[in-house]
Amino acid sequence: MVTMSDVAKLSGVSTMTVSNVINDRAGVSDQVRRRVLEAIRQSGYRINVSARTLRSGRTGVIGLAVPEIDRPYFGHLATHVIAQAKERGFHVAIEETGAGAAGEIDAIAHSHKLQFDGLILSAVGLDPGDSRLSGGDYPIVMLGEQDFSARFDHVAMPNEEGTKAATAHLIDRGCRRIAIVTGAALDGVNVVTRRYHGYLAALAERGLDADPALRFAVDGMTLAGGRAAAHRLADSGHEVDGVVAVSDTVAQGVLRGLADRGLRVPDDVRLVGFDGIPEAAYTVPSLSTVAPDHRWMAAKAVELVTARIDDPSRPAAAYTAPFDLMLRESTR
Amino acid sequence: MVTMSDVAKLSGVSTMTVSNVINDRAGVSDQVRRRVLEAIRQSGYRINVSARTLRSGRTGVIGLAVPEIDRPYFGHLATHVIAQAKERGFHVAIEETGAGAAGEIDAIAHSHKLQFDGLILSAVGLDPGDSRLSGGDYPIVMLGEQDFSARFDHVAMPNEEGTKAATAHLIDRGCRRIAIVTGAALDGVNVVTRRYHGYLAALAERGLDADPALRFAVDGMTLAGGRAAAHRLADSGHEVDGVVAVSDTVAQGVLRGLADRGLRVPDDVRLVGFDGIPEAAYTVPSLSTVAPDHRWMAAKAVELVTARIDDPSRPAAAYTAPFDLMLRESTR
DNA sequence: TTGTAGGCGTTATCAA
DNA sequence: TTGATAACGCCTACAA
């Protein structure tokens, strides 16, 4: 390995001068600078980040922890976060937590271990009251899901408002028996319960009854889960003319499951999803969806971590992303 | 910050003993071990990875560089790589290269900079002859696309064989005018050209002409690209009874584009994709596809990097993933 | 403008 | 079984 002192020897100066050249510090004559740069080129020297970090305490890397990177929503989110971080001179390392509290706690620990300067955590399993969250002053921004606003910086999704708008839209289109395909965890405050409450709120506001028999829970927020739920729904014998899905991926599964049972969308059943993933515009029929502004969310999250990295004592801030209700063929 | 020597003082031993306890090395009495662990717990000590890396030269992190993490194929691949690496005690940091040679070179540079122990690079833009690849003995494994086998460890996809099998399948189903929706870069040796050649090979073997008018190029391997290509195809006036798409994502776009033009799959046109992403089973109609074994590929890639990390001088190895031709509704 | 000394937190080596 | 010492490669502080 080529070290600074190798470069120093090669160019006939001290390591300190090499360091000054590398870090673009003032007080190096042009002639020496050139000689050092040439020596660096020749030797193929690369700075050792561990050594530098050991001294400076900064790595320039932000961690992004998501439940499952193969879920389109998180893939898109990651792409945006990477772009935003790059603009601020940070690098992003992605971590997969596996949608459980344990994985999320692990991600925080790893984040320390790998010496990221800060962490953006898309927590779905973690409870805000979890005692293991008592980490201290490490810069963590919660993205999208649970409400940790009191203790952490937080960029929330418009879960209730969005699902409420989606449900109201179905009612406007004439639906009266509206089912919801929701997640399994219906206690606590999380993305699933909040979206469920948005659905209930819209029904209540329009004077419709919420029939518990029209609530179908999926195990994971997956295509398979959505499909299975649609099968149960179709086989239940309940007349349903509208379906609110907890996410676009689940909605895609529902779409497939309804097709399996010969139910046509939107003719027999109207369907609306949540997340606004680009894929939703390409299904057949295309999928109406609640689309939070992903770019905005990513920008906000990166802005918050970097701010907290610079000033660990600043008060926690909370924002909620704006959203669009994208109307497509599935609710025509 | 709590350091090892703080823990050492607190528990009345030397730093070396603390180090031994932390790294689970033999030769520490149970009593001392317990005392040290208790001191670690009390003090909230966390190991400093930079210092450890500075000494040991290992970070325990493998970089995974992919063109776009929001493309389902890469999302799934990443999930598998993470799982496999975990089994071998490695951590994975994902890097997005943006599907260009520049980004891929950058990823290599970053990988050095961030001191990953090795890098798995899913290169699509990089040319095997690129002079900037002359890095030296840093452990890099090429995954999936280009053929770098002479200089790098390489896990290839069954590009030609797979597309050939897919095309032959269409012919078996009675298709005679088979179009291909392919990528833009039709020179050099890359995933696009190899799949294209597989298509040509199948046609030739069955005595069918390859009509250049039935070749439709997309700009990116995206849903939008596939849709646009399908529009051009439908509007061209050519009679087409089968379509081979260069990837599943492109095929999904094609599916949508054909629906836009009122063409039914498989009744009017049969369609087959490539990659075997799980999403392909959930489209309407579901999508036949060439499915390489992702888990196998991930396992092989991780095996190769770790082997090279342990022995940088071992000869480069090359493997090609096995595949299944998944037959679904789109070619029924 | 350049150089020297010392230390960041950890671990390998060798001695006790 | 445990401990003292000397690095790892870089940067801060200060001296020349």
Side-chain angles (χ1 to χ4, degrees):
Chain A
M1 180 189 270
V2 187
T3 73
M4 234 180 211
S5 74
D6 293 331
V7 175
K9 260 176 226 146
L10 197 61
S11 47
V13 300
S14 74
T15 61
M16 207 45 233
T17 299
V18 176
S19 173
N20 286 333
V21 169
I22 285 171
N23 293 286
D24 233 356
R25 281 187 278 257
V28 183
S29 68
D30 257 21
Q31 204 193 1
V32 171
R33 177 183 306 277
R34 244 189 298 276
R35 225 169 48 212
V36 170
L37 288 174
E38 175 57 20
I40 288 175
R41 210 190 49 68
Q42 270 189 29
S43 60
Y45 167 77
R46 289 178 200 269
I47 194 157
N48 180 321
V49 178
S50 293
R52 166 186 274 178
T53 298
L54 186 58
R55 295 252 14 157
S56 72
R58 287 278 180 95
T59 57
V61 180
I62 294 172
L64 171 65
V66 296
E68 291 158 322
I69 191 62
D70 60 347
R71 250 153 63 188
Y73 168 68
F74 293 112
H76 293 292
L77 200 60
T79 294
H80 284 125
V81 168
I82 289 169
Q84 294 293 335
K86 192 173 182 184
E87 278 188 14
R88 290 167 186 267
F90 282 87
H91 207 87
V92 175
I94 301 171
E95 182 96 2
E96 219 180 20
T97 60
E104 287 160 8
I105 292 290
D106 264 15
I108 296 178
H110 277 138
S111 181
H112 274 103
K113 214 186 75 175
L114 295 177
Q115 309 242 121
F116 301 151
D117 291 342
L119 179 68
I120 297 175
L121 177 58
S122 203
V124 297
L126 214 45
D127 193 87
D130 198 302
S131 64
R132 294 167 295 179
L133 269 176
S134 54
D137 55 352
Y138 181 73
I140 297 180
V141 172
M142 295 293 175
L143 180 55
E145 320 290 343
Q146 324 280 70
D147 187 357
F148 296 86
S149 48
R151 310 172 54 198
F152 293 98
D153 291 308
H154 183 216
V155 181
M157 299 187 79
N159 289 315
E160 272 192 62
E161 313 84 298
T163 314
K164 188 175 167 192
T167 309
H169 167 62
L170 288 179
I171 300 172
D172 288 342
R173 304 293 294 130
C175 301
R176 288 299 172 269
R177 299 273 304 162
I178 303 176
I180 182 160
V181 176
T182 181
L186 273 179
D187 54 330
V189 176
N190 55 48
V191 59
V192 169
T193 56
R194 301 202 62 174
R195 291 183 190 175
Y196 181 58
H197 286 133
Y199 158 82
L200 293 180
L203 293 181
E205 196 172 286
R206 303 299 185 96
L208 293 178
D209 282 343
D211 185 346
L214 299 189
R215 193 178 72 202
F216 297 87
V218 299
D219 271 350
M221 309 269 265
T222 62
L223 292 163
R227 182 181 212 165
H231 290 169
R232 292 206 306 279
L233 187 156
D235 300 342
S236 72
H238 291 296
E239 291 163 31
V240 165
D241 53 13
V243 175
V244 176
V246 68
S247 81
D248 283 347
T249 295
V250 167
Q252 279 183 265
V254 168
L255 206 55
R256 178 68 232 188
L258 293 174
D260 292 337
R261 292 297 186 264
L263 289 169
R264 294 162 308 160
V265 175
D267 310 81
D268 300 322
V269 182
R270 290 191 169 82
L271 172 64
V272 59
F274 197 116
D275 277 345
I277 63 175
E279 283 79 357
Y282 290 85
T283 54
V284 183
S286 57
L287 187 64
S288 294
T289 180
V290 177
D293 189 332
H294 293 161
R295 184 186 309 275
W296 186 96
M297 290 176 66
K300 212 58 177 174
V302 171
E303 178 191 320
L304 287 173
V305 237
T306 54
R308 181 155 303 280
I309 289 168
D310 290 338
D311 174 13
S313 67
R314 70 196 291 279
Y319 296 88
T320 299
F323 72 94
D324 257 355
L325 184 58
M326 313 279 294
L327 303 183
R328 301 211 181 93
E329 292 166 356
S330 72
T331 60
R332 190 147 295 163
Chain B
M1 179 191 268
V2 186
T3 73
M4 231 180 214
S5 74
D6 293 330
V7 175
K9 261 176 226 149
L10 197 61
S11 47
V13 299
S14 73
T15 61
M16 207 45 233
T17 299
V18 176
S19 174
N20 286 334
V21 169
I22 285 171
N23 293 287
D24 235 354
R25 280 186 277 254
V28 182
S29 68
D30 257 21
Q31 204 193 0
V32 170
R33 177 183 305 277
R34 241 190 300 278
R35 226 168 47 209
V36 170
L37 288 174
E38 174 58 18
I40 288 175
R41 210 190 48 67
Q42 270 188 29
S43 59
Y45 166 76
R46 288 177 198 273
I47 194 157
N48 181 322
V49 178
S50 293
R52 163 185 282 177
T53 299
L54 183 58
R55 259 314 314 198
S56 69
R58 290 279 180 92
T59 57
V61 179
I62 294 172
L64 171 66
V66 296
E68 291 157 322
I69 191 62
D70 58 347
R71 250 153 63 187
Y73 168 67
F74 293 112
H76 292 292
L77 199 61
T79 294
H80 283 125
V81 169
I82 289 170
Q84 294 293 336
K86 193 174 181 180
E87 277 187 15
R88 290 168 185 267
F90 282 87
H91 207 88
V92 175
I94 301 170
E95 183 94 4
E96 220 180 18
T97 60
E104 287 160 8
I105 292 291
D106 263 16
I108 297 178
H110 277 137
S111 181
H112 274 102
K113 213 187 75 174
L114 294 178
Q115 310 243 123
F116 301 150
D117 291 342
L119 179 69
I120 297 175
L121 177 58
S122 203
V124 297
L126 214 44
D127 193 85
D130 198 304
S131 64
R132 294 167 294 181
L133 268 176
S134 54
D137 56 351
Y138 181 73
I140 297 181
V141 173
M142 295 292 174
L143 179 55
E145 321 289 345
Q146 324 280 73
D147 188 356
F148 296 86
S149 48
R151 312 173 52 200
F152 294 98
D153 291 309
H154 183 213
V155 180
M157 298 187 80
N159 289 314
E160 274 192 61
E161 314 84 300
T163 314
K164 188 175 169 192
T167 308
H169 167 62
L170 288 178
I171 299 172
D172 288 341
R173 303 296 290 129
C175 301
R176 287 300 172 267
R177 300 273 301 161
I178 302 176
I180 182 161
V181 176
T182 180
L186 273 179
D187 53 332
V189 175
N190 55 49
V191 59
V192 169
T193 57
R194 303 203 60 175
R195 291 183 189 173
Y196 181 58
H197 285 133
Y199 159 81
L200 293 180
L203 293 181
E205 195 171 288
R206 303 299 184 96
L208 293 178
D209 281 342
D211 184 346
L214 298 188
R215 193 178 72 201
F216 298 87
V218 300
D219 272 348
M221 309 269 266
T222 61
L223 292 163
R227 183 183 211 164
H231 290 169
R232 292 205 306 280
L233 186 154
D235 300 343
S236 72
H238 291 295
E239 289 163 33
V240 165
D241 54 13
V243 176
V244 176
V246 67
S247 80
D248 283 347
T249 295
V250 168
Q252 279 183 266
V254 168
L255 206 55
R256 178 67 233 189
L258 293 174
D260 292 336
R261 292 296 186 265
L263 289 169
R264 292 163 310 162
V265 175
D267 310 83
D268 300 321
V269 182
R270 290 190 168 81
L271 173 64
V272 60
F274 198 117
D275 277 345
I277 62 175
E279 284 78 358
Y282 290 86
T283 54
V284 183
S286 57
L287 186 65
S288 294
T289 180
V290 178
D293 190 332
H294 293 162
R295 184 185 309 274
W296 186 94
M297 290 176 65
K300 212 59 177 170
V302 171
E303 179 191 322
L304 287 174
V305 237
T306 54
R308 182 154 303 280
I309 289 168
D310 289 339
D311 173 13
S313 68
R314 70 197 290 277
Y319 297 88
T320 299
F323 72 94
D324 256 357
L325 184 58
M326 312 281 294
L327 303 183
R328 302 211 181 93
E329 292 166 355
S330 71
T331 59
R332 189 145 297 163

